[in-house]
Amino acid sequence: MHEVPELLREYDRARAYTDLLWQDLTPDEVTWRPHENSSAIGWHLGHQAHVAHFMVRNLTAAEPSPDPELDGLMDSANPERFRGALPTIERLTTFRNTVADRVHARLGAIAGGHVGAPGQLTVVAQHLLVALINHEYQHDQWIGEVRARNLGHVLPPDPDTDRISRLDGYLVLNPLG
């Protein structure tokens, strides 16, 4: 299993790949939905961060949401037809960046041994980060499909690392190295 600092770098790499998929799009493209039972790229961006916060909060340290108003909207339990009223791109970006900073702070504290039960939490942090990275890539696949198929934009190359591969068409991190 990778060490937590390595996995945090892979988390950053996955997030950077996500940014390549959407940051050159217009706000209308980010909020456009192919149909009522489909989520916009912007929803996927918020959902990736929502899940990261939710998992870190519930598995390692209870802390409030950085944007409680987004919690219900970005939860995948919310049916797709109700995912249309998205926040601004700026708010989504702030949410994503705040969550990423919190992921780094909490999991960095675990890696540094600055928590109770550091050995146990290290195991949790390692598996948690693999799940977050693969979840990021899972939604990147869907973002990429809308980007290329529906909006006609070229896809960026896959991240430059030998730690990921494709499985069923999705990028995945090999948790063992």
Side-chain angles (χ1 to χ4, degrees), residues 3 11 18 26 47 70-71 78 92 95 97-98 100 102-103 110 135-136 146 153 155 167-168:
E3 296 298 321
Y11 173 69
T18 303
T26 67
H47 174 72
L70 294 182
D71 288 347
N78 187 18
L92 281 172
F95 182 60
N97 291 339
T98 301
R102 288 182 177 188
V103 167
I110 291 169
H135 182 256
E136 187 85 13
V146 171
H153 293 282
L155 290 173
L167 182 63
D168 298 329

Side-chain angles (χ1 to χ4, degrees), residues 14-153:
R15 290 186 70 255
Y17 181 71
T18 303
D19 289 345
L20 289 175
L21 290 169
W22 76 273
Q23 285 188 338
D24 64 335
L25 301 178
T26 67
D28 286 342
E29 289 173 317
V30 173
T31 58
W32 177 78
R33 296 167 67 187
H35 52 80
E36 182 181 277
N37 288 319
S38 177
S39 301
I41 288 171
W43 181 86
H44 290 281
L45 297 171
H47 174 72
Q48 288 166 317
H50 170 73
V51 168
H53 167 72
F54 182 82
M55 290 181 71
V56 169
R57 176 192 77 193
N58 285 297
L59 297 175
T60 68
E63 66 175 42
S65 172
D67 195 333
E69 291 177 13
L70 294 182
D71 288 347
L73 176 63
M74 298 306 171
D75 191 326
S76 60
N78 187 18
E80 287 177 324
R81 68 183 178 275
F82 300 125
R83 297 178 186 172
L86 295 175
T88 64
I89 301 301
E90 293 78 19
R91 187 172 174 190
L92 281 172
T93 301
T94 298
F95 182 60
R96 286 178 58 80
N97 291 339
T98 301
V99 168
D101 290 346
R102 288 182 177 188
V103 167
H104 272 272
R106 181 60 183 161
L107 300 182
I110 291 169
H114 307 295
V115 295
Q120 185 270 343
L121 278 176
T122 295
V123 171
V124 170
Q126 289 169 317
H127 290 279
L128 172 62
L129 277 163
V130 170
L132 292 181
I133 292 162
N134 287 332
H135 182 256
E136 187 85 13
Y137 285 136
Q138 175 186 17
H139 286 273
D140 287 351
Q141 179 68 25
W142 300 332
I143 292 168
E145 288 171 3
V146 171
R147 175 189 174 88
R149 291 182 192 162
N150 300 104
L151 300 174
H153 293 282

